[in-house]
Amino acid sequence: MSVSNSFRLGSPDVFPPAERHVYLDAASVGLSHKGGAEAISKWQNALAEEGTIAFDEQAEVECLDNLNAATASLFNATVDDIAIASSETVLMQSLAWAVMPESGSRIIATDITHPSTIYPWMRVSDHTGAQVHWIRADDSQTIDPDELEASIDDSTSVVCLSQCEYGTGQQYDLKRFADKAHRHGAILVVDATQSAGQVPVDACSGVDAVATSTYKWLCGPFGTGMMYVSPALQQLNPGILGWRSHKDMWDFQADRLELANNAKRYEFGTMAYGTAFGATESVRHLLETGIENVAAHNAQVSKHLIAGLQDLGAEVLGPKDDANRSATVAVRFPGKNSRDFAKTLKDANVIASLRRDFIRFSPHYYNNIDDIDQGLKAIKAAL
Ligand SMILES: Cc1ncc(COP(=O)(O)O)c(C=O)c1O
């Protein structure tokens, strides 16, 4: 599908700042869905004005239901399989303590994964005596998927992957690694913070758990995270417990705890509930747009960016083939200090991120080809 250079799939009515900046930073913080941001303010203002008159106990029970349903659609799962809390990190932490990989077993992770994907598992391993086995990236920051697959064996308890790497956008085939993990009695746990909203995240691929925050590719707020957990993992004892973990959260009887008999047992406490209203709006918008359409649009924009950067002599990191990439593009400019260069770009209103020693561009569905051409022009001038 070829579209005009000015076409933004995520409309400027919903993402007005997309027309004011060359905003290529979804992997850091995505532009917020306008209606989502308004929903959060509305809730906060009503709470400030009226307290429990505006937000009573019934509302506190029901406030996550719409986000739960939207997340189930997003992950191709059922509502019973979804838990909501304040971030990917807390949900992954709770899961890691539930799974408690046994002494001597191996947790497979890449050395370019995000700290929040693997630190929870490292902490639990310190306690149980499990070990992290690192798959090392090559000089272009690429993981060899064959090496990753071959490393999964009978000693593996957990394969812990970010579906898209935060730095380079390298994308993994979840079914391939879920199948291999299961053949060896292991589980596949996935951090979708860099994938949910830009590429399909399919619970039916066999993944055992998927956790995400909402403020990147889902264009939602800080302060909300969602997790899919398989029926088997819904039987475990979560690592973080609180009053919301009880199947009737208004039970309030401290000397007994009956966990919810679905994924909700991984919810645990009061959160900034209004953020869930915002996240619901932004996830619904992505679902209405169609994640496949978003992925196709972003691939086209990202490909144009890569070609333009290569023409300017940049070294593009990550996989060479499109099939293993997402929209994120990480580059080094020979002879340039990435830190200084990222600042120069920001001054030219081209918004990207410095990560380690490279610059990361992450266009999303509110971007168009004209943005990329404008960004490339600024880069050329700065070089
Ligand atoms: C893959 C991945 N996981 C997790 C996080 C952050 O987690 P949290 O929102 O829980 O702080 C990031 C942020 O950059 C990320 O890229």
Side-chain angles (χ1 to χ4, degrees), residues 87-89 114 116-117 162 166 191 193-194 213 215-216:
S87 71
E88 177 275 331
T89 305
H114 193 274
S116 280
T117 314
S162 180
Y166 80 93
D191 182 343
T193 306
Q194 291 289 353
S213 285
Y215 54 86
K216 297 181 188 285

Side-chain angles (χ1 to χ4, degrees), residues 95-106:
L95 182 75
W97 285 103
V99 171
M100 294 260 265
E102 67 184 15
S103 175
S105 71
R106 294 203 313 181

Side-chain angles (χ1 to χ4, degrees), residues 304-360:
H304 188 72
L305 174 63
I306 291 177
L309 288 166
Q310 282 170 332
D311 283 349
L312 294 174
E315 178 198 0
V316 177
L317 307 177
K320 301 276 171 281
D321 54 319
D322 294 346
N324 291 320
R325 297 194 69 94
S326 57
T328 297
V329 182
V331 292
R332 296 189 194 110
F333 293 95
K336 291 283 175 195
N337 174 297
S338 292
R339 179 173 296 278
D340 297 340
F341 204 65
K343 166 113 186 31
T344 305
L345 293 184
K346 194 170 180 189
D347 292 343
N349 201 24
V350 178
I351 314 303
S353 295
L354 174 77
R355 285 293 177 274
R356 297 162 77 167
D357 67 340
F358 53 83
I359 298 180
R360 179 185 65 183

